Amino acid sequence: MRRNLLEINDLKTQEINFLLEEAEAFKEVLARPIKKLPTLRGKTILTLFYEPSTRTRMSFELAAKRMGADVSNIAVSASSIQKGENLKDTVRTLEAMGVDLIIIRHSQAGAPHLVAKTVKASVINAGDGTHEHPTQALLDLYTIKDKKKTFKGLKAAIVGDIAHSRVARSNIWAFTKMDMEVTLIAPPTLLPAEVEKLGLKPIKISYSLEEIIPKLDILYILRLQLERQKKGLFPSLQEYIKLYGVNPEKLRKSKRDLLIMHPGPMNIGVEITESVATSMQSAIEEQVHNGVAIRMALLNYLLGGKNEDPA
Ligand code: CP
């Protein structure tokens, strides 16, 4: 039994495969007119988000509700956190009310690890600073498996603001764990130091998106995180768009079945054009859709529910 999911690399390959299979079953439940299971009835799940979120928080909330759990959200801006309560006190207080699982997003890397050491409840990392976003990696793996049927040997490139991206870090681990070949594409100033040491097998670095595109099976585009950037990481936004923004022109020589992915939210017109985001090659909407099923599988795994299907 696993209690927490704090980093993608904590999961063994067998566990990832198990979660992907479970998600497939939950996706079938979600396609039914009555999308409810009683599996987690009696369990209490809490979302504690110190940073904004649309997809992650909503899909965890939906996943928990679909499985019969009670779900509460702490609105950080309206809580005692504003009176100076620290993270440890907050989570101890919440646990005292009988919470079984805390889903936390925080601007500080390692905050979910601190929570996991403080409480007996399960903890899921929903994004910690620029460190990790493990459930994004799980839903991305699920989407790739759904589309490509296999991982082995797939050539994936992650393009954009690698330096500030927790999604990139989780996916470098996730993709290499599943035996995919990973290339990172970014201006040198948006590549973190020693990035080539991440991953379970060697990864490549490239500075040219157009050269790489024809070889790729997956093009994973990152949001340019303007809110986390210091000044001067690239000469101008226009130059970034010219070199690293994905548009139909750059995709002219891509494989027909290239899969375009993006974790969202997107800066349309910056790292991706509207026409690419909504093209036949794009799996971006499916990523969001698959987020609920994979999070149902994870909640079930951590809280030990039996997959009782009432049908
Ligand atoms: N991909 C992702 O984490 O999106 P949100 O910030 O909307 O949760």
Side-chain angles (χ1 to χ4, degrees):
M1 280 290 293
R2 172 175 295 283
R3 181 166 70 98
N4 307 314
L5 178 60
L6 305 178
E7 301 180 4
I8 196 73
N9 213 23
D10 288 345
L11 291 175
K12 296 186 184 75
T13 310
Q14 297 95 305
E15 287 179 288
I16 293 177
N17 282 325
F18 172 75
L19 288 169
L20 301 185
E21 275 167 32
E22 289 277 286
E24 189 67 27
F26 286 123
K27 198 171 166 183
E28 280 171 32
V29 172
L30 292 175
R32 295 179 191 164
I34 298 170
K35 304 169 173 49
K36 277 263 190 189
L37 294 172
T39 320
L40 296 183
R41 210 155 44 194
K43 301 288 185 190
T44 303
I45 294 174
L46 183 87
T47 63
L48 177 60
F49 277 51
Y50 288 76
E51 283 189 340
S53 168
T54 301
R55 292 149 201 79
T56 312
R57 197 169 80 169
M58 184 64 183
S59 65
F60 266 119
E61 192 172 331
L62 275 177
K65 284 180 176 164
R66 300 282 188 242
M67 302 184 79
D70 296 317
V71 196
S72 293
N73 299 306
I74 295 290
V76 167
S77 60
S79 73
S80 291
I81 294 159
Q82 298 307 320
K83 300 179 196 164
E85 187 173 67
N86 70 30
L87 179 58
K88 279 170 132 181
D89 279 345
T90 298
V91 293
R92 275 196 209 108
T93 302
L94 296 167
E95 187 171 55
M97 294 181 210
V99 167
D100 298 293
L101 188 146
I102 297 172
I103 300 158
I104 178 168
R105 172 172 286 188
H106 202 285
S107 57
Q108 289 298 316
H113 303 68
L114 178 68
V115 174
K117 280 189 197 139
T118 306
V119 296
K120 292 192 184 72
S122 290
V123 178
I124 296 176
N125 179 0
D128 61 330
T130 59
H131 176 229
E132 278 245 19
H133 191 350
T135 61
Q136 179 69 45
L138 285 175
L139 77 87
D140 291 336
L141 286 178
Y142 180 86
T143 306
I144 292 167
K145 182 82 185 290
D146 192 41
K147 290 284 189 182
K148 300 284 186 189
K149 309 302 169 207
T150 180
F151 295 112
K152 198 170 169 52
L154 288 178
K155 291 185 173 47
I158 303 176
V159 59
D161 189 356
I162 314 268
H164 299 98
S165 176
R166 53 196 175 211
V167 173
R169 282 172 184 76
S170 286
N171 271 342
I172 291 169
W173 288 110
F175 290 0
T176 53
K177 200 177 259 266
M178 304 314 275
D179 226 357
M180 291 162 60
E181 292 176 24
V182 177
T183 302
L184 305 180
I185 308 170
T189 48
L190 290 183
L191 282 167
E194 305 202 321
V195 69
E196 61 281 355
K197 290 190 180 159
L198 298 177
L200 290 176
K201 62 181 202 177
I203 55 174
K204 293 181 193 153
I205 309 284
S206 170
Y207 304 111
S208 170
L209 179 57
E210 289 196 83
E211 261 175 37
I212 296 279
I213 279 179
K215 302 174 192 150
L216 294 177
D217 301 298
I218 292 144
L219 178 58
Y220 198 101
I221 304 165
L222 297 172
R223 183 169 71 87
L224 188 60
Q225 298 197 32
L226 293 165
E227 77 279 14
R228 290 194 208 268
Q229 298 207 357
K230 298 179 194 83
K231 282 206 170 98
L233 291 178
F234 43 85
S236 72
L237 192 58
Q238 283 316 313
E239 182 162 325
Y240 181 86
I241 295 169
K242 190 166 164 232
L243 294 174
Y244 298 101
V246 180
N247 58 30
E249 176 63 17
K250 288 205 186 85
L251 293 176
R252 244 178 346 107
K253 292 185 184 157
S254 67
K255 291 183 185 170
R256 278 170 69 91
D257 63 348
L258 170 73
L259 209 59
I260 305 272
M261 302 179 77
H262 190 304
M266 292 180 275
N267 295 310
I268 293 286
V270 180
E271 70 267 3
I272 188 168
T273 62
E274 174 95 40
S275 54
V276 171
T278 55
S279 67
M280 295 294 284
Q281 290 173 314
S282 169
I284 296 168
E285 239 182 73
E286 277 148 292
Q287 286 172 268
V288 176
H289 182 71
N290 293 336
V292 180
I294 199 79
R295 289 177 172 121
M296 285 172 83
L298 181 63
L299 294 177
N300 195 41
Y301 187 48
L302 299 185
L303 291 178
K306 290 195 185 78
N307 188 355
E308 293 163 29
D309 188 338

